[in-house]
Amino acid sequence: MDFLKKVETLLNATTRSALPRRRRRSVLDAHEEKLMTEIREALAAVEAQERVLAKRLKMEQVQAQEAAQQGDQLQQQAHQRRAAELERELEEESIQAINLEEKLQALEEKLALAREAVEKQAEIAAAMEEEAAKAMALSDRETEMNASPATAAEPAEKKTTLAKNEAELAARKSRLSG
């Protein structure tokens, strides 16, 4: 890993580490929660309406039965007609409740997938941060190791090189003079 890559990794890790993990609240999180709340409220209202319609349907059926026992066919037909209308309304409310439940479930699944993705990104960021720390520690060690032997070795190398040069010069002089 070259030095620029190490620095880049370190910078990325330090900028990410300054930000808190999943505790951040984004606009999408707030919007999704608001949407889920609205769907739950609508679902509760539809279920309440279903219960009211079911009670009214039972009452109409009971009244139609009482009218039939009394022999009043007009009343019986009127109650049966109202009961049929209530059944259609109840069916529509049931369909609406099912649709709302499906939307709520789909949104919850989507939110769970988003949370998993954020957690994976946090894990990746933590791994990169750890890698950057290791790289910097290794780089520091290499720099220290390279710096200390090099500074100690340079004067010794210079001394031996100078000594060799002087010896060679003396040998040349002796050959030329002699």
Side-chain angles (χ1 to χ4, degrees):
M1 182 183 272
D2 70 340
F3 183 71
L4 292 176
K5 183 75 172 174
K6 289 178 185 178
V7 171
E8 180 184 357
T9 305
L10 179 65
L11 288 174
N12 286 338
T14 54
T15 56
R16 286 190 184 118
S17 67
L19 301 173
R21 302 283 181 240
R22 188 59 189 156
R23 293 182 183 97
R24 298 183 287 213
R25 303 274 307 163
S26 72
V27 175
L28 290 176
D29 289 340
H31 178 69
E32 286 176 345
E33 284 184 22
K34 181 181 176 185
L35 187 60
M36 286 178 60
T37 303
E38 289 174 0
I39 291 174
R40 285 187 182 116
E41 289 172 356
L43 183 60
V46 167
E47 288 174 346
Q49 183 66 21
E50 275 184 310
R51 286 190 292 275
V52 168
L53 288 174
K55 284 182 184 180
R56 287 180 53 198
L57 178 62
K58 285 181 184 179
M59 283 181 20
E60 289 295 332
Q61 288 172 343
V62 168
Q63 288 175 349
Q65 209 172 27
E66 288 175 357
Q69 287 175 352
Q70 294 173 357
D72 191 358
Q73 289 186 347
L74 284 172
Q75 282 293 333
Q76 180 184 5
Q77 289 175 351
H79 287 295
Q80 286 176 342
R81 204 174 26 249
R82 280 184 257 168
E85 287 175 21
L86 288 172
E87 279 184 45
R88 280 191 301 276
E89 286 181 39
L90 183 60
E91 187 175 325
E92 289 174 10
E93 291 291 325
S94 296
I95 291 171
Q96 188 177 3
I98 290 169
N99 289 338
L100 286 172
E101 285 175 350
E102 288 174 354
K103 284 181 183 178
L104 182 62
Q105 183 180 6
L107 188 59
E108 286 174 343
E109 288 174 1
K110 183 179 174 183
L111 188 59
L113 289 175
R115 284 182 182 149
E116 287 177 17
V118 167
E119 288 173 3
K120 285 181 183 177
Q121 287 294 335
E123 290 173 7
I124 291 170
M128 287 177 68
E129 184 177 327
E130 184 178 326
E131 182 180 322
K134 286 179 182 178
M136 287 304 293
L138 182 62
S139 175
D140 289 344
R141 281 191 215 133
E142 287 177 0
T143 305
E144 288 174 7
M145 293 176 95
N146 289 338
S148 52
T151 55
E154 283 180 14
E157 287 177 10
K158 285 182 182 178
K159 287 178 185 176
T160 56
T161 306
L162 286 175
K164 286 181 184 178
N165 287 342
E166 287 177 11
E168 287 177 10
L169 186 61
R172 281 187 198 162
K173 283 183 183 177
S174 67
R175 271 187 261 149
L176 290 173
S177 23

mmCIF file of all heavy atoms in Angstrom, residues 40-56:
data_model
loop_
_atom_site.group_PDB
_atom_site.id
_atom_site.type_symbol
_atom_site.label_atom_id
_atom_site.label_comp_id
_atom_site.label_asym_id
_atom_site.label_seq_id
_atom_site.Cartn_x
_atom_site.Cartn_y
_atom_site.Cartn_z
ATOM 1 N N ARG A 40 -50.602 3.443 9.798
ATOM 2 C CA ARG A 40 -51.156 2.744 10.975
ATOM 3 C C ARG A 40 -52.454 3.397 11.449
ATOM 4 O O ARG A 40 -53.402 2.702 11.822
ATOM 5 C CB ARG A 40 -50.124 2.730 12.103
ATOM 6 C CG ARG A 40 -49.017 1.748 11.877
ATOM 7 C CD ARG A 40 -48.108 1.635 13.094
ATOM 8 N NE ARG A 40 -47.031 0.715 12.828
ATOM 9 C CZ ARG A 40 -45.745 1.032 12.782
ATOM 10 N NH1 ARG A 40 -45.377 2.271 13.023
ATOM 11 N NH2 ARG A 40 -44.837 0.130 12.521
ATOM 12 N N GLU A 41 -52.474 4.741 11.459
ATOM 13 C CA GLU A 41 -53.689 5.443 11.872
ATOM 14 C C GLU A 41 -54.834 5.166 10.905
ATOM 15 O O GLU A 41 -55.977 4.935 11.323
ATOM 16 C CB GLU A 41 -53.423 6.951 11.963
ATOM 17 C CG GLU A 41 -52.545 7.348 13.130
ATOM 18 C CD GLU A 41 -52.125 8.806 13.100
ATOM 19 O OE1 GLU A 41 -52.458 9.524 12.125
ATOM 20 O OE2 GLU A 41 -51.466 9.235 14.063
ATOM 21 N N ALA A 42 -54.532 5.186 9.602
ATOM 22 C CA ALA A 42 -55.563 4.893 8.600
ATOM 23 C C ALA A 42 -56.059 3.463 8.743
ATOM 24 O O ALA A 42 -57.271 3.202 8.647
ATOM 25 C CB ALA A 42 -55.012 5.125 7.197
ATOM 26 N N LEU A 43 -55.146 2.555 9.013
ATOM 27 C CA LEU A 43 -55.520 1.154 9.208
ATOM 28 C C LEU A 43 -56.416 1.007 10.434
ATOM 29 O O LEU A 43 -57.430 0.293 10.388
ATOM 30 C CB LEU A 43 -54.266 0.286 9.346
ATOM 31 C CG LEU A 43 -54.483 -1.219 9.492
ATOM 32 C CD1 LEU A 43 -55.215 -1.778 8.284
ATOM 33 C CD2 LEU A 43 -53.149 -1.916 9.684
ATOM 34 N N ALA A 44 -56.068 1.685 11.513
ATOM 35 C CA ALA A 44 -56.897 1.631 12.728
ATOM 36 C C ALA A 44 -58.288 2.203 12.458
ATOM 37 O O ALA A 44 -59.299 1.650 12.919
ATOM 38 C CB ALA A 44 -56.217 2.384 13.863
ATOM 39 N N ALA A 45 -58.360 3.303 11.702
ATOM 40 C CA ALA A 45 -59.662 3.903 11.374
ATOM 41 C C ALA A 45 -60.495 2.959 10.514
ATOM 42 O O ALA A 45 -61.711 2.816 10.734
ATOM 43 C CB ALA A 45 -59.456 5.231 10.651
ATOM 44 N N VAL A 46 -59.851 2.307 9.549
ATOM 45 C CA VAL A 46 -60.575 1.368 8.681
ATOM 46 C C VAL A 46 -61.076 0.179 9.498
ATOM 47 O O VAL A 46 -62.219 -0.268 9.318
ATOM 48 C CB VAL A 46 -59.675 0.908 7.507
ATOM 49 C CG1 VAL A 46 -60.262 -0.276 6.769
ATOM 50 C CG2 VAL A 46 -59.436 2.061 6.546
ATOM 51 N N GLU A 47 -60.246 -0.322 10.398
ATOM 52 C CA GLU A 47 -60.676 -1.451 11.235
ATOM 53 C C GLU A 47 -61.827 -1.045 12.151
ATOM 54 O O GLU A 47 -62.759 -1.828 12.368
ATOM 55 C CB GLU A 47 -59.494 -1.982 12.038
ATOM 56 C CG GLU A 47 -58.487 -2.729 11.181
ATOM 57 C CD GLU A 47 -57.236 -3.137 11.944
ATOM 58 O OE1 GLU A 47 -57.001 -2.631 13.066
ATOM 59 O OE2 GLU A 47 -56.469 -3.958 11.404
ATOM 60 N N ALA A 48 -61.775 0.175 12.678
ATOM 61 C CA ALA A 48 -62.879 0.661 13.508
ATOM 62 C C ALA A 48 -64.152 0.768 12.673
ATOM 63 O O ALA A 48 -65.242 0.382 13.137
ATOM 64 C CB ALA A 48 -62.522 2.013 14.121
ATOM 65 N N GLN A 49 -64.028 1.276 11.454
ATOM 66 C CA GLN A 49 -65.185 1.385 10.566
ATOM 67 C C GLN A 49 -65.735 -0.007 10.236
ATOM 68 O O GLN A 49 -66.956 -0.200 10.166
ATOM 69 C CB GLN A 49 -64.791 2.134 9.281
ATOM 70 C CG GLN A 49 -65.922 2.363 8.324
ATOM 71 C CD GLN A 49 -66.971 3.313 8.878
ATOM 72 O OE1 GLN A 49 -66.722 4.096 9.781
ATOM 73 N NE2 GLN A 49 -68.173 3.213 8.345
ATOM 74 N N GLU A 50 -64.844 -0.978 10.069
ATOM 75 C CA GLU A 50 -65.279 -2.357 9.810
ATOM 76 C C GLU A 50 -66.118 -2.876 10.975
ATOM 77 O O GLU A 50 -67.161 -3.512 10.767
ATOM 78 C CB GLU A 50 -64.065 -3.281 9.628
ATOM 79 C CG GLU A 50 -63.491 -3.316 8.247
ATOM 80 C CD GLU A 50 -62.359 -4.312 8.138
ATOM 81 O OE1 GLU A 50 -61.435 -4.271 8.983
ATOM 82 O OE2 GLU A 50 -62.397 -5.131 7.212
ATOM 83 N N ARG A 51 -65.656 -2.639 12.186
ATOM 84 C CA ARG A 51 -66.408 -3.104 13.366
ATOM 85 C C ARG A 51 -67.788 -2.453 13.432
ATOM 86 O O ARG A 51 -68.791 -3.119 13.725
ATOM 87 C CB ARG A 51 -65.609 -2.822 14.642
ATOM 88 C CG ARG A 51 -64.415 -3.749 14.838
ATOM 89 C CD ARG A 51 -63.793 -3.595 16.211
ATOM 90 N NE ARG A 51 -63.136 -2.309 16.407
ATOM 91 C CZ ARG A 51 -61.895 -2.031 16.052
ATOM 92 N NH1 ARG A 51 -61.160 -2.938 15.448
ATOM 93 N NH2 ARG A 51 -61.384 -0.833 16.276
ATOM 94 N N VAL A 52 -67.837 -1.143 13.147
ATOM 95 C CA VAL A 52 -69.127 -0.435 13.167
ATOM 96 C C VAL A 52 -70.053 -1.019 12.103
ATOM 97 O O VAL A 52 -71.247 -1.287 12.375
ATOM 98 C CB VAL A 52 -68.915 1.087 12.950
ATOM 99 C CG1 VAL A 52 -70.234 1.797 12.683
ATOM 100 C CG2 VAL A 52 -68.207 1.707 14.144
ATOM 101 N N LEU A 53 -69.536 -1.232 10.906
ATOM 102 C CA LEU A 53 -70.361 -1.799 9.834
ATOM 103 C C LEU A 53 -70.818 -3.215 10.166
ATOM 104 O O LEU A 53 -71.957 -3.591 9.861
ATOM 105 C CB LEU A 53 -69.586 -1.794 8.511
ATOM 106 C CG LEU A 53 -69.384 -0.429 7.852
ATOM 107 C CD1 LEU A 53 -68.478 -0.558 6.637
ATOM 108 C CD2 LEU A 53 -70.722 0.182 7.452
ATOM 109 N N ALA A 54 -69.945 -4.000 10.794
ATOM 110 C CA ALA A 54 -70.322 -5.362 11.170
ATOM 111 C C ALA A 54 -71.456 -5.342 12.192
ATOM 112 O O ALA A 54 -72.406 -6.142 12.093
ATOM 113 C CB ALA A 54 -69.114 -6.100 11.730
ATOM 114 N N LYS A 55 -71.416 -4.414 13.156
ATOM 115 C CA LYS A 55 -72.506 -4.302 14.151
ATOM 116 C C LYS A 55 -73.803 -3.887 13.476
ATOM 117 O O LYS A 55 -74.868 -4.453 13.756
ATOM 118 C CB LYS A 55 -72.140 -3.273 15.230
ATOM 119 C CG LYS A 55 -71.151 -3.771 16.240
ATOM 120 C CD LYS A 55 -70.884 -2.701 17.297
ATOM 121 C CE LYS A 55 -69.829 -3.147 18.273
ATOM 122 N NZ LYS A 55 -69.558 -2.112 19.292
ATOM 123 N N ARG A 56 -73.706 -2.896 12.568
ATOM 124 C CA ARG A 56 -74.908 -2.444 11.878
ATOM 125 C C ARG A 56 -75.491 -3.546 11.000
ATOM 126 O O ARG A 56 -76.709 -3.718 10.909
ATOM 127 C CB ARG A 56 -74.594 -1.213 11.030
ATOM 128 C CG ARG A 56 -74.391 0.040 11.874
ATOM 129 C CD ARG A 56 -74.089 1.276 11.054
ATOM 130 N NE ARG A 56 -75.070 1.524 10.012
ATOM 131 C CZ ARG A 56 -74.859 2.321 8.975
ATOM 132 N NH1 ARG A 56 -73.691 2.930 8.839
ATOM 133 N NH2 ARG A 56 -75.795 2.508 8.074
#
